[in-house]
Amino acid sequence: MSSPDDEFLQARHDDAVSAAALFAVDPASLGGVALRSLPGPARDAWLQLLRGWLPAAAPWRKVPLNIADGRLLGGLDLSATLAAGRPIAERGLLGEADGGVLLLTMAERLSTGTVARIAAVLDDGELRLAREGIVGAVPARLGVVALDESLEPDEALAPALLDRLAFALDFDGLRRIDASNSGIDAEAIAAARVLLPEVRLPEALIDALAHTAIALGIASLRAVWLASRAARIAAALDGRALANEADAAIASRLVLAPRATRLPVNEPQPEQPEEAPSEPGEADAPPPESSSSPDQEQPPQQPHDVDQAMQDVVLAAAAAAIPPNLLAQLKAGGQGGKARASGKSGALQKAATRGRPAGARRGEPRAGQRLAIIDTLRAAAPWQRLRRQELLMRGKGDGSTPRVLVRREDFHVARLEQRRETTTIFVVDASGSSALNRLAEAKGAVELLLADCYVRRDRVAVIGFRGAIAELLLPPTRSLVRAKRSLAGLPGGGGTPLATALDAAIELADAIRRRGETPGIVLMTDGRANIGRDGAPGRAQAEADALAASRRLRASGHATLFVDTSPRPQAAAAKLAGEMAAFYLPLPQADARQLSAAVRAVTPANR
């Protein structure tokens, strides 16, 4: 007897084989496959299976991480241009993959620019090129296999790319891929490829797919469009020219279920009207005999009922394929979007003399900037013939003429970028209510987090607030000893000047940002403000000031984590976190180590 886990893995295996077959029939119409898997036998077997089902002449191009635009898009062939003395264009990988598959390795780390260029090709089916003096368009109808090798929860494919790929597969737990019992082979796929243009999809099935997308909370219209194409291909694989419910169910399971953002809700059944009370004596009377046959007693099935039944079948197929941890994923991803956007380290910024190369721009190498030699030669290459003719006309074309004529307007300098330093500001509530509850755990958690920051050579700062003031206990520093000493000397007791603390955190974060660093705020409090900005006690005014300060923090755009340290999560604290657009993390029953682990888990800047 197989366990539920075995059945789940078997279903995941069968979905992987089905997706490979559908994708092999027409890669360009389905966009591609997002494959979340580390290198291993299952992934290698799936890629080999897919490549074996593609036409023998279909190109298979592998795109390495950090590929240059010249190799991806194509452009000027520098060596051929210099040899010929006229512009010679070369095709990039996008053009070379026309009619085949583009394999993206470590796709979760692709730059935004690379994702945008691939997405444009998937949309248009051609590559429009206008660079290095070459203007034109080349066909690029291709499918994409994006290999997602991410290990961290915050790492994932870019949404713009993921939205354009029909299938999203996860090989976690799979050790092999075997399609020998699937009944699908290369001949069947070739036959489906021929039949596909004749396959029709009834409008009722399109409505069922759209209804399923709505029920699963899928906002993108592209998902229904891709599911419709997958349903047509499924019918072609089965040798039919008309798609049916089974084809739509396969498409719903493979295309719509991985995109679900909520679980489908069962619509309440309409209440049956109560029968009118019978007259005395009618209950004992036998029911009147009917002269009609049993077939005539059943009312004819209405078209609406048929459509509803079809929608239920398609929705049930998608619901069965929703990952069991969907709610946990939605909870983690939905609340932490803004905090996760800050990234593991500081944001990228332009640099003049050091950093990672990020292309080139036209300009002269001044103030220590590096000359981009290759880009300079590329700019000069198309003009070599004209420049030599010009020299001949001036009577300067003798044997001393250099082989490559470079002018000032050809100069390009390297564009560099580097990550900003990250400074984490811990804002610790040391008021009476917090000291009574969780101040000791908060101090211990902050010390553990400080140690992590010290290992990464990040800077930390500590602001404590109690009584009527918020005090900068530790200016931004990398000294772990100073940080621990400032926390050890933090007493507890007094009121909660939360608005004053938020103002102090905003001012410090703004100052850090002006220095070119990336600030992050970790607020540890129970959210029970009772001291206003003016230092006067009064809960109503203090809460109003705290809300105003929260909105100011939201407007500043600083990534913030709100850790509710009260024994029981407070609605007021959740409201404040919402006002400041912070990640709200209630931790009612956690010690210092658990508290620090939770903060590290939801705040990439603190990992």
Side-chain angles (χ1 to χ4, degrees), residues 419-440:
R419 292 198 176 276
R420 299 175 178 174
E421 291 187 346
T422 299
T423 301
T424 304
I425 305 170
F426 294 94
V427 185
V428 182
D429 184 357
S431 64
S433 59
S434 182
L436 179 65
N437 297 322
R438 307 292 302 283
L439 181 58

Side-chain angles (χ1 to χ4, degrees), residues 201-291:
L201 184 68
E203 290 188 4
L205 287 181
I206 299 177
D207 293 341
L209 292 172
H211 173 81
T212 302
I214 295 173
L216 298 179
I218 301 173
S220 174
L221 294 177
R222 189 177 280 114
V224 179
W225 182 56
L226 292 173
S228 302
R229 291 188 168 189
R232 290 182 61 242
I233 296 176
L237 265 178
D238 201 30
R240 289 177 281 103
L242 182 64
N244 58 21
E245 289 181 6
D247 304 322
I250 293 174
S252 176
R253 178 181 179 86
L254 294 178
V255 180
L256 299 182
R259 289 174 161 82
T261 62
R262 69 182 182 215
L263 295 175
V265 179
N266 295 326
E267 297 181 358
Q269 298 294 330
E271 296 182 357
Q272 297 294 333
E274 296 182 358
E275 295 182 358
S278 58
E279 296 293 336
E282 288 185 358
D284 300 333
E289 296 183 357
S290 175
S291 58

Side-chain angles (χ1 to χ4, degrees), residues 74-76 87 89 127-138:
L76 193 68
L127 173 64
R128 298 187 180 93
L129 194 63
R131 63 194 306 264
E132 298 176 342
I134 298 175
V135 178
V138 295

Side-chain angles (χ1 to χ4, degrees), residues 27-368:
S29 69
L30 294 177
V33 181
L35 179 55
R36 184 180 175 88
S37 171
L38 294 175
R43 196 181 82 172
D44 294 343
W46 188 87
L47 292 175
Q48 185 177 4
L49 178 69
L50 173 62
R51 193 165 186 178
W53 282 347
L54 291 172
W60 181 277
R61 295 292 182 271
K62 186 176 181 180
V63 178
L65 187 64
N66 297 325
I67 185 174
D69 284 349
R71 183 66 187 117
L72 181 67
L73 305 174
L76 193 68
D77 188 336
L78 183 58
S79 58
T81 300
L82 292 176
R86 58 183 177 83
I88 303 294
E90 66 174 350
R91 300 182 72 184
L93 285 180
L94 291 174
E96 293 177 1
D98 178 41
V101 171
L102 198 68
L103 185 64
L104 307 178
T105 58
M106 302 183 74
E108 77 280 2
R109 298 187 181 183
L110 288 177
S111 66
T112 305
T114 302
V115 169
R117 294 173 184 97
I118 295 174
V121 167
L122 291 176
D123 290 342
D124 301 335
E126 66 176 8
L127 173 64
R128 298 187 180 93
L129 194 63
R131 63 194 306 264
E132 298 176 342
I134 298 175
V135 178
V138 295
R141 294 194 75 256
L142 52 88
V144 168
V145 175
L147 301 180
D148 181 359
E149 302 177 6
S150 59
L151 297 175
E152 304 294 341
D154 62 312
E155 293 181 340
L157 295 183
L161 179 61
L162 195 59
D163 187 47
R164 287 166 171 81
L165 309 184
F167 307 121
L169 304 177
D170 190 345
F171 281 7
D172 185 21
L174 291 183
R175 297 182 178 179
R176 62 175 182 81
I177 295 292
D178 184 6
S180 58
N181 296 326
S182 64
I184 304 174
D185 53 21
E187 294 182 358
I189 291 177
R193 206 171 284 133
V194 175
L195 180 62
L196 180 59
E198 303 176 5
V199 176
R200 293 189 304 105
L201 184 68
E203 290 188 4
L205 287 181
I206 299 177
D207 293 341
L209 292 172
H211 173 81
T212 302
I214 295 173
L216 298 179
I218 301 173
S220 174
L221 294 177
R222 189 177 280 114
V224 179
W225 182 56
L226 292 173
S228 302
R229 291 188 168 189
R232 290 182 61 242
I233 296 176
L237 265 178
D238 201 30
R240 289 177 281 103
L242 182 64
N244 58 21
E245 289 181 6
D247 304 322
I250 293 174
S252 176
R253 178 181 179 86
L254 294 178
V255 180
L256 299 182
R259 289 174 161 82
T261 62
R262 69 182 182 215
L263 295 175
V265 179
N266 295 326
E267 297 181 358
Q269 298 294 330
E271 296 182 357
Q272 297 294 333
E274 296 182 358
E275 295 182 358
S278 58
E279 296 293 336
E282 288 185 358
D284 300 333
E289 296 183 357
S290 175
S291 58
S292 60
S293 64
D295 294 339
Q296 293 175 340
E297 290 179 353
Q298 299 294 333
Q301 201 169 13
Q302 300 296 323
H304 173 75
D305 298 334
V306 176
D307 294 345
Q308 184 62 44
M310 190 179 299
Q311 292 173 4
D312 293 343
V313 170
V314 176
L315 179 58
I322 292 178
N325 56 345
L326 172 63
L327 290 179
Q329 293 176 1
L330 294 178
K331 184 177 181 181
Q335 295 181 351
K338 193 173 183 63
R340 291 168 191 272
S342 61
K344 182 177 290 187
S345 53
L348 290 172
Q349 65 175 356
K350 296 180 180 178
T353 59
R354 63 179 182 176
R356 190 175 63 181
R361 63 174 178 83
R362 192 179 297 276
E364 298 182 22
R366 297 176 178 175

